[in-house]
Amino acid sequence: ESRVTLEQAIDLRFDLVVPNLQLGQLPQIVSLLREAESLAEKLADEQRLARAYSHLVNYFYLTGEPSKAIQYGERCQAIGHALGDSGLQELARRYMGHSYHAQGQYRQAESVLRENLKVLGAARASWAEPDRLSDVASSAWAAFAMADVGDFAAAQEFADKALQSAEESRHAYTKAIASTLAGLVWLRRGFPGRAMPHLQRSVQGCKDAHLPLWQPVASSLLGLALVMLDALDEALPLLEEAVVRTGELGVKAYLALWKTHLAEGLLAAGQNARAKVHAEEALELAIAHQEHGHQAWALRVCGDVASQDGERG
């Protein structure tokens, strides 16, 4: 055991985080990160400690603890700034942008992600190979945030940027992210037919590349598009699958929204009792995980269920 071997031990754990993330192995991820954090503290290695923090931001975001995610992000940013490490700051900003979006702080998410894209753009000239994942994810979540506040011109611009960068990457995960959130922008605009090709491409890409973490996202949005097109027989299995798979993965982020989509599908199919159960569960999840925007979506569907029950009563 020496400083060099301990540094290698930490770096190997970091190298294992991304593939485990794309495979949806959250318990392995937190175990790897806690080990890396402990070793970095033992070495008093601030840079590696901050890298552990940056990945913990994403972990806590996925497990439905956005406030904790943002706290880790701020720690990582502070160390990255003190060390002059722009890569650390970029990673922290990206994951903090995701967490702000989950909390329903859409303008804050936009601001952080715009800053990230600006820094990435300035650094692009010096990259041997651009960091496409960061570029695509920052653009795609900015599109998500802008679509959720109804700024569709900005949302479309970000979505198009994500699609272009993803195509250049030839990377299945980045292409799935870009296609999914391009589809979401069209859904928010009320054009499910235009969303369909993007969402179908994403679902198929997830199946082909075995991307279980992302597939529920694409499946839920494709299911919602089919509900809007009144193709309920095709929609309901996708909506059910998204909720079940997200639960199996242990992911809490956005589960409230996927349950809301399922409730919408069930309500459209006349299954009011089941729709009520899922809408109420969605509301509980949104409150528990501080997802204020998704809380509003769940309340709206709860109201729709109550309205239909009232009409029938």
Side-chain angles (χ1 to χ4, degrees):
E1 185 174 291
S2 68
R3 184 175 186 90
V4 172
T5 57
L6 289 174
E7 287 173 350
Q8 290 174 340
I10 297 170
D11 294 343
L12 283 168
R13 284 165 172 79
F14 290 147
D15 289 342
L16 283 165
V17 168
V18 172
N20 272 285
L21 174 65
Q22 294 178 5
L23 292 169
Q25 304 294 332
L26 295 187
Q28 286 89 327
I29 289 170
V30 74
S31 177
L32 289 165
L33 290 175
R34 290 305 190 196
E35 290 168 4
E37 182 182 20
S38 177
L39 289 168
E41 287 173 345
K42 181 178 180 178
L43 294 177
D45 189 326
E46 288 287 289
Q47 189 167 44
R48 285 181 171 85
L49 186 60
R51 282 191 68 193
Y53 289 162
S54 72
H55 290 297
L56 284 166
V57 177
N58 195 37
Y59 172 79
F60 285 117
Y61 154 71
L62 288 171
T63 54
E65 300 179 76
S67 293
K68 189 176 285 188
I70 290 165
Q71 288 171 11
Y72 270 98
E74 288 170 346
R75 287 190 211 173
C76 181
Q77 286 257 62
I79 295 173
H81 180 74
L83 296 175
D85 189 326
S86 60
L88 279 173
Q89 294 176 70
E90 175 274 313
L91 197 59
R93 274 194 302 267
R94 169 157 59 97
Y95 289 147
M96 288 171 71
H98 296 180
S99 298
Y100 283 129
H101 181 273
Q103 285 185 322
Q105 297 188 56
Y106 302 126
R107 291 296 182 186
Q108 184 70 18
E110 177 206 9
S111 175
V112 168
L113 293 166
R114 276 189 186 275
E115 182 182 358
N116 225 31
L117 288 166
K118 182 178 178 181
V119 171
L120 287 166
R124 190 183 299 273
S126 64
W127 292 339
E129 174 59 32
D131 185 349
R132 297 292 185 189
L133 177 57
S134 191
D135 199 36
V136 168
S138 296
S139 297
W141 256 270
F144 201 169
M146 292 299 89
D148 276 338
V149 298
D151 188 345
F152 297 125
Q156 196 67 60
E157 182 181 343
F158 282 122
D160 290 345
K161 184 181 186 305
L163 285 170
Q164 180 182 349
S165 189
E167 285 301 317
E168 291 169 359
S169 77
R170 302 181 186 179
H171 185 238
Y173 192 56
T174 57
K175 289 167 79 171
I177 291 171
S179 294
T180 301
L181 294 180
L184 177 135
V185 171
W186 284 113
L187 286 182
R188 291 287 192 264
R189 293 179 66 176
F191 295 98
R194 299 197 69 170
M196 285 288 292
H198 293 293
L199 298 171
Q200 288 169 327
R201 188 179 307 119
S202 183
V203 169
Q204 190 59 51
C206 288
K207 290 177 180 177
D208 292 343
H210 187 57
L211 300 172
L213 185 72
W214 192 259
Q215 189 170 336
V217 182
S219 293
S220 185
L221 291 167
L222 179 57
L224 181 62
L226 289 163
V227 170
M228 294 168 72
L229 292 167
D230 203 29
L232 298 177
D233 289 344
E234 296 176 68
L236 290 179
L238 286 165
L239 296 170
E240 295 267 15
E241 175 191 35
V243 167
V244 170
R245 288 198 176 196
T246 303
E248 289 174 347
L249 290 166
V251 174
K252 298 296 190 297
Y254 298 91
L255 181 55
L257 188 58
W258 313 149
K259 274 190 169 285
T260 299
H261 292 169
L262 176 55
E264 290 190 61
L266 292 167
L267 187 61
Q271 298 183 40
N272 288 35
R274 288 191 67 209
K276 182 178 180 180
V277 168
H278 283 289
E280 290 176 348
E281 288 178 354
L283 182 57
E284 290 172 5
L285 281 166
I287 293 169
H289 298 293
Q290 307 163 44
E291 296 184 357
H292 304 300
H294 302 154
Q295 183 178 343
W297 284 107
L299 282 166
R300 195 264 296 167
V301 177
C302 285
D304 289 344
V305 172
S307 176
Q308 285 208 14
D309 284 346
E311 289 172 6
R312 294 183 183 189

